[in-house]
Each structure stands twice: as structure tokens, then as C-alpha cells.
Amino acid sequence: MRIAIIAESFPPDVNGVAHSVVRIAEHLVKRGHTPLVIAPAPASSTRGLTGAHPFPVIRVPSVPLPRYRSLRLGLPGPKLTEALVSHAPDMVHLACPFLLGARGVALAQQRRMPCLAVYQTDVAAYARTYVGWGEAAVWKWMRTVHNGADRTLAPSTRSAADLVAHGIQRVWLWQRGVDVVRFDPAKRNELVRKVLAPNGEVLIGYVGRLAAEKRVDLLAKTSELPGVRVVIVGDGPARRDLEKALPKAVFLGTRHGAQLARLFASFDIFAHTGPHETFGQTIQEALASGLPVIAPSAGGPVDLVTPGVNGTLVPPEDEDALAGAVAELVTDGELRRQYGINARAGVEGRTWSAVGDELIAHYESILASPGVTRHVRVAA
């Protein structure tokens, strides 16, 4: 198959959308398919950081997101249309559709191309926080985009229910994969631990973007617990404020690859704070690294964290409950160990290869559906 992936985000962006698009496109190539990625152009200062990929990437003009200038909004225009038409796809794949995705679904309808949309980000929360759009207006826009596709894939049961409640049709569950080779408890590194916890502190890790909606500030009380060191990996517009709010925490900035895997495995507990996660990819990476996870009982984490098995769920945005859950695990090393064993075992089958094959099955199902009468499949 020839697949056109229209992505609202792509490396050098560091987020779940960008990462999953790369992994899926790589998997499509391995399976003998021909993907093309259409994505926003990066800022001029980061163009040398985009890396090489085994599939073509077409960049369209972009502008910085208001109040979060390191993220770029792709501008739909002639370049997107030209790239899509030239690729002649059997399937149009919309990754977290909003602006580029809206144009992509319109082109798919006009040209009778099968189309699949992947919901991955709480767009309503983003638009409210960074653009000032009302939630009702955002959901109206999203209904138009997603209901124009033949199928929408949601990453968690909570996000799927949210989509259905807001009038989005043809919703299926499709979770994300995790690299269980890269993220492995065996990567635990005593030198890393000695540097981060020179007095033998229990390491509480957070990995993710440092942005207002992630609520990393909720770790303030946790960072004050005795015998604890909070380590924050990531960057973003909220970093300066967070450094002031959590003066005892260690801020390492963004880390990638083997270095990130060593950090994950060297933590003792993973704490996730964001109440608006549609999935929670860093939670999966922590589980694969053999860490007990403490996360809010909202959105994607509900599918990933089983209380009493691999971690603890706490009320969203409850700083006291978060610190209390951490304190309980800090004092019980055996419970941490058992949770970590269960965490690793629970994700070992969630490889990118497995979920990539699930995605291909969704493509094939759409193409074979008698209900897709308006489409004419383009010959490969």
C-alpha cells in the first residue's frame, strides 16, 4: 500500500505524536509498504536536528504556536495538496488531525481516498491553553474533521468514550507500542544513581514536556519528602517557573536514546502528573523499564496503571495524594520491586511491531469495507 501520513507534529519535535509517526512509518517500510509523511517545517534553528528516515518527508510552511513557540502549526496550502496528489495514496492517515488534518480529510473526500484519523492529543485542552479557543468550538471543529474520516482510532478507553460523547463516529481502540529492547530494567546504572542520589535517596522520575497542562508543579510536595530526590527529564515553556517551584528537584533537560533508557531504569518510582493524557507514552516506557508508576486516575493512565499490581492511581491534580502515594512506596522497597516486576511483564507484548500490524489491519478493513463507497482505491 501507499500511505500518506499527514502529521501535525514530527521530529525535531519531542512528543508522543512525533515519536509514534516515526515508529509507524518505519514499521510500514519494514512490511513492504510505501509511506510518505507530510508535516510542518521545523524552526530554522532546529532544521539540522531532524535526522534521516527510511521514508520521504515533505515539509509544509509552519508558524509557532502562540505561547509555546517551540511547537509549530503546519499551514495547509498548495504544497500539502501537491504532495498528497503526487503520492497517490491507497490510504490517507491523519496523525492527530487539526489544521493540516482538516485539509487532508477534505482532500480525501474530494478525491475519494480512504482516510483514517488517529486521535492522540487532548486538542481541546491545548486550544484552550495556548490559543484561547472555547472548548465547544474546538469539539465542533474536531467533529467535522474526524467524522469526515472512515475510522477514528483512540489510544485509550477513556479517550474513546470522550470522543463518542462529543459526537465523533466510528471510533476504534488502538493503543501505542513501546520499545521493550531499549527500555529495559537491565539498563539500570549505578553510576547514574550515584550522581543523582549521592546520599542514597529514592529517585522519583518524571519524563515529559514541561508545559502548563502537564502540571509538573504538583511534584512540589513530593520533592520535599525526606530521603527523596525528584528528577525531571524534559524541557518546555514552563521550565523556568518549575525550577522556581521545585528548587530541590534536579532538571536534566531533554534526553534521548540510550541515555534516556538508562535514566528510566535508574529511577525507583515514576511519577506522572498530567490530567489530560489521552494515552501516556512515558508511562509505558517506565513500565517497560521495570518501574512502579504513580499517575492520575484520568485519561490514558487508567488503562496502563493497575492499582495494587504495577502502581497507584491518585485523584487528578491532587498534590497531597500524589506525595502520599510516593511516600508509601518510598518506605516499602519490596512492594516497589514487585510492582516493577509486574510492570515489565505487563508491557512485554506491546511492541511497535505488534501495534503496527494492528494499524495495517485497520487500513485493510477500511479498504475492504462495502461502506466505503465514495472511495476509489488508487492502484499501488
Side-chain angles (χ1 to χ4, degrees):
M1 284 184 286
R2 298 178 66 82
I3 300 100
I5 303 176
I6 301 176
E8 304 288 343
S9 184
F10 193 74
D13 294 348
V14 180
N15 57 54
V17 175
H19 178 69
S20 64
V21 168
V22 170
R23 299 310 298 266
I24 288 305
E26 289 174 344
H27 181 73
L28 290 171
V29 171
K30 289 178 183 177
R31 289 289 187 260
H33 302 290
T34 308
L36 166 73
V37 173
I38 304 170
S44 58
S45 61
T46 62
R47 285 176 187 167
L49 306 175
T50 55
H53 303 285
F55 48 84
V57 180
I58 300 295
R59 299 287 190 166
V60 301
S62 68
V63 294
L65 182 69
R67 298 172 61 192
Y68 197 160
R69 298 186 65 83
S70 61
L71 284 181
R72 311 285 295 186
L73 291 174
L75 301 177
K79 193 168 185 179
L80 187 157
T81 304
E82 179 184 348
L84 188 66
V85 172
S86 297
H87 192 61
D90 298 291
M91 178 65 60
V92 177
H93 173 132
L94 309 176
C96 192
F98 192 63
L99 289 182
L100 294 183
R103 180 57 178 159
V105 78
L107 288 169
Q109 289 175 324
Q110 291 169 10
R111 297 176 179 274
R112 304 176 70 188
M113 297 174 177
C115 183
L116 176 145
V118 177
Y119 177 74
Q120 193 161 342
T121 300
D122 187 344
V123 177
Y126 265 69
R128 183 175 60 248
T129 302
Y130 297 109
V131 186
W133 286 16
E135 192 161 324
V138 176
W139 278 110
K140 182 178 180 181
W141 178 266
M142 290 177 61
R143 275 194 297 275
T144 300
V145 174
H146 282 270
N147 287 343
D150 295 293
R151 183 173 295 190
T152 286
L153 304 184
S156 65
T157 55
R158 292 287 180 94
S159 60
D162 204 24
L163 290 172
V164 171
H166 283 90
I168 292 175
Q169 305 163 3
R170 300 178 296 280
V171 177
W172 295 66
L173 181 65
W174 178 62
Q175 296 180 313
R176 301 293 177 268
V178 63
D179 189 336
V180 295
V181 175
R182 170 172 291 173
F183 298 100
D184 188 320
K187 305 289 178 68
R188 190 173 178 89
N189 187 292
E190 290 306 317
L191 180 58
V192 169
R193 290 185 53 77
K194 185 175 181 180
V195 170
L196 296 176
N199 299 312
E201 295 93 341
V202 176
L203 292 178
I204 315 301
Y206 168 87
V207 178
R209 290 184 299 105
L210 305 186
E213 71 277 4
K214 295 297 186 179
R215 293 306 314 272
V216 182
D217 58 292
L218 293 171
L219 287 169
K221 285 191 175 180
T222 297
S223 69
E224 297 290 340
L225 292 172
V228 159
R229 176 65 53 83
V230 171
V231 180
I232 295 174
V233 181
D235 213 337
R239 178 168 177 171
R240 184 172 298 178
D241 290 339
L242 289 169
E243 288 176 334
K244 293 177 182 178
L246 285 74
K248 293 185 179 180
V250 177
F251 288 79
L252 297 180
T254 303
R255 294 292 186 270
H256 301 282
Q259 190 178 42
L260 178 61
R262 282 194 299 272
L263 283 168
F264 262 114
S266 299
F267 296 149
D268 296 299
I269 300 169
F270 186 77
H272 194 79
T273 54
H276 303 295
E277 298 299 320
T278 60
F279 184 67
Q281 183 61 20
T282 57
I283 291 177
Q284 271 207 144
E285 291 166 354
L287 295 172
S289 302
L291 299 182
V293 173
I294 299 171
S297 56
V302 174
D303 288 352
L304 299 174
V305 180
T306 303
V309 176
N310 62 3
T312 306
L313 292 173
V314 298
E317 302 184 81
D318 189 329
E319 184 178 19
D320 292 325
L322 178 60
V326 170
E328 181 180 357
L329 279 177
V330 165
T331 59
D332 196 335
E334 177 56 28
L335 186 60
R336 294 201 307 269
R337 188 188 71 82
Q338 189 57 58
Y339 278 3
I341 292 171
N342 296 341
R344 174 69 184 185
V347 299
E348 284 184 316
R350 297 180 189 172
T351 64
W352 279 108
S353 180
V355 300
D357 287 343
E358 289 176 11
L359 178 64
I360 293 169
H362 281 291
Y363 293 160
E364 293 172 342
S365 179
I366 291 171
L367 291 170
S369 172
V372 189
T373 54
R374 73 176 185 275
H375 298 318
V376 175
R377 184 177 179 183
V378 180

